[in-house]
Amino acid sequence: MSKKSALTSLLDPALIHEAISASFKKLAPDTQWKNPVMFVVYIGSILATLLFVQTLRGQGEGHAWFVGAIAVWLWFTVLFANFAEALAEGRSKAQAASLRSTKKNVMAKKLYHHQDRSKCLPTDSASLRKGDFILIEAGDIVPADGEVVEGVASVDESAITGESAPVIRESGGDFSAVTGGTRVLSDWIVVKVSVNPGEAFLDRMIAMVEGAKRQKTPNEIALSILLVALTIVFLVVTATLLPFSLFSATASGAGAPITVTTLIVLLVCLIPTTIGGLLSAIGVAGMSRMMQANVIATSGRAVEAAGDVDVLLLDKTGTITLGNRQASDFIPAPGIRQEQLADAAQLSSLADETPEGRSIVILAKETFGLRQSDFNAQQAVFVPFSAHTRMSGINYTDTFGVREIRKGAMDAIRKYVQEAGGYFPEAVEREVAEVARRGSTPLVVAEQSRVLGVIELKDIVKGGIKERFAELRQMGIKTIMITGDNPLTAAAIAAEAGVDDFLAEATPEAKLKLIRDHQTEGKLVAMTGDGTNDAPALAQADVAVAMNTGTQAAKEAGNMVDLDSNPTKLIEIVEIGKQMLMTRGSLTTFSISNDIAKYFAIIPAAFATTYPQLASLNVMHLNSPDSAILSAVIFNAIIIVFLIPLALKGITYKAQSAARLLRSNLLIYGLGGLIVPFIGIKAIDMLLGLLGLV
């Protein structure tokens, strides 16, 4: 989602109204105590309110308007924290509602026996059970998750993935899984139901994105413990200040002891209320950003682990390379011009609809301007590729007679040329070996008994992927390419793509061993997969992204599911995880830093009558003690509101090393957190003075 659309979603009136309503509902004690830091503020608000009522009766301390204003802004502090969490949860619930709208209760054709399609029983989809066999025909909605056991069909999965292009689902292989709620467009399939009601993929997706059901992650728990510890320390410190103040006032015979209202404000401003109020929202927003990227995370733990990943395992095909070999060069045989080779190669590929064949036609056109404008299809007989001959080509009649052109593997072309009475040049053999050494695929072209040369087909590395790997390297993340190619080919592609290492001739056992070896070294490993043979490695990986088009086994083994089935999404997932950790760290730094500035506002004001010497700490020259205390508590509340968009959108992601990130974090959010409160509190104090409230 773009920054503009993200901001638009934040400003959605319906979402804001719902969040405001939820903010008041969250004032229930059983909800508030789950956030210890804000629970202290909650108790302080109640005490301040009671003190205000007591003051109205003439029995309290200080001015009624001052105590009342403090109570109001303390309640606002609690409500603003509730609002931040409610807004984050509201976005997740809106996403869940969108998913829920795609869930339909439909009639299914349950088979008595999966091999007999002539007899079926109309059954409500809610009554289907794991192990049932159902027939799904063109136009039918898939009633439940399952595996295709018979037939092949085109399926529209746009309701789940958002991708309009239909996909093929067939029995066997890695593309046999179907998801409830999708629609069969053509043909028919027999599906074995793999889940019971309530356990379907769509049901799990809805539960996953419900912010209210999110469990805290280990890092979040650790930070919560730190915040609670700081709160307890400041609580003890604040509690001891009252007897000291009473003793000093009595011993000196001058001044007045500190009031309970001032102590409450001091405690609230000293404890890390800013990050305490935003911590939950940051976690919920992290999962929400995953959903915006069309990735379903089973828990916040998976999102957080993505931010801590040390090693990325990436499939070569479709991730690092485009997935289709493309012609990159024409290498002529001795005595043959390159343009002559290109012309013959293009003729032999005119009827070749494979990506390789299309690329040969395009390369000849772009390199030499060959367009075969005088080509007459009626004078041509195309020879399709066959596994038996391992060749394809054309028999074309022109003014010079019949031209028999073939392209194919070296051994096949050698046999074809020798049977025609020709010979295979050693120079061409050397070129074939050199092309293979570079990791490319050689296709030899011959016309009758004469070898014309070699077409080099290579896996094209995706544009910009090398730069992405360089960014990951800057972040301290190691990239490893996984491929079934031989080591020679794998090494050539790895060097061109810029990955740090590769695993060639990869087997399920080799992938599993590689992951375990890195985990033994204390590293977190992420990988993608879609096949049943990927399931063991996915189950072992710390961040396991299964493709939605993959098998049920792969999706169950992973802790994330990519609805777009885009293998390169793993890089984006790591960036989102990093962004969540960076946001939490930055706002924690800001929160702790701005507490320091609040000390200079509150402490001199709180003890001005008890310890007049502390007046020298009033570096901001605030109007009065009451103004200083009220300005600090107002700033403490409204800063949460100003930081809500940042908590939900996340800070701007940049690929940096940990050391550089720490320096940047301290400079921007540490120094910023120190300066902003001075400006904010002074501005509020001046406004209160202009309004004549102090």
Side-chain angles (χ1 to χ4, degrees), residues 185-226:
L185 299 179
S186 67
D187 303 292
W188 58 269
I189 47 176
V190 174
V191 173
K192 182 179 181 180
V193 178
S194 58
V195 295
N196 290 317
E199 300 173 357
F201 179 63
L202 204 55
D203 294 313
R204 297 201 309 273
M205 283 174 26
I206 293 169
M208 289 171 198
V209 298
E210 287 281 5
K213 298 180 181 179
R214 186 187 65 88
Q215 294 184 348
K216 289 186 176 181
T217 63
N219 282 352
E220 192 174 344
I221 292 172
L223 182 55
S224 297
I225 293 173
L226 173 62

Side-chain angles (χ1 to χ4, degrees), residues 124-152:
D124 187 278
S125 60
S127 301
L128 294 173
R129 293 293 183 271
K130 186 176 182 178
D132 288 343
F133 291 92
I134 51 177
L135 172 65
I136 310 173
E137 298 175 300
D140 292 346
I141 293 176
V142 177
D145 294 2
E147 296 278 346
V148 178
V149 296
E150 187 180 353
V152 58

Side-chain angles (χ1 to χ4, degrees), residues 451-638:
V451 176
L452 301 180
V454 180
I455 306 170
E456 180 176 358
L457 299 176
K458 63 184 298 185
D459 279 327
I460 304 299
V461 173
K462 289 184 176 180
I465 198 75
K466 191 169 186 177
E467 289 72 19
R468 296 290 294 274
F469 290 151
E471 291 179 2
L472 293 172
R473 195 173 298 110
Q474 288 180 354
M475 296 158 52
I477 297 175
K478 181 179 182 180
T479 52
I480 302 177
M481 183 183 75
I482 306 296
T483 177
D485 292 336
N486 61 67
L488 196 64
T489 301
I493 296 173
E496 184 179 355
V499 295
D500 298 311
D501 201 354
F502 65 89
L503 176 66
E505 298 176 343
T507 62
E509 294 79 11
K511 293 179 188 177
L512 192 59
K513 182 180 183 302
L514 181 63
I515 293 173
R516 286 175 175 170
D517 287 345
H518 282 290
Q519 289 174 333
T520 302
E521 298 173 5
K523 297 177 180 177
L524 292 182
V525 181
M527 77 164 287
T528 60
D530 58 5
T532 301
N533 63 343
D534 291 323
L538 287 171
Q540 183 67 37
D542 300 287
V543 178
V545 185
M547 301 294 101
N548 188 46
T549 55
T551 61
Q552 192 71 24
K555 286 191 278 190
E556 290 177 356
N559 51 26
M560 292 188 186
V561 177
D562 177 18
L563 301 182
D564 295 331
S565 299
N566 178 7
T568 59
K569 189 73 69 68
L570 182 57
I571 299 175
E572 186 177 347
I573 288 170
V574 170
E575 292 176 352
I576 293 174
K578 288 280 186 187
Q579 185 185 39
M580 188 184 79
L581 294 180
M582 289 164 63
T583 302
R584 186 186 298 157
S586 298
L587 291 183
T588 300
T589 303
F590 183 91
S591 177
I592 294 174
S593 295
N594 73 34
D595 286 344
I596 297 174
K598 285 181 274 186
Y599 301 162
F600 287 92
I602 294 182
I603 292 179
F607 296 95
T609 57
T610 307
Y611 305 104
Q613 299 86 349
L614 290 177
S616 60
L617 293 178
N618 184 17
V619 295
M620 287 183 277
H621 303 290
L622 302 177
N623 288 313
S624 67
D626 286 354
S627 174
I629 293 170
L630 186 56
S631 298
V633 78
I634 291 174
F635 175 84
N636 194 60
I638 63 175

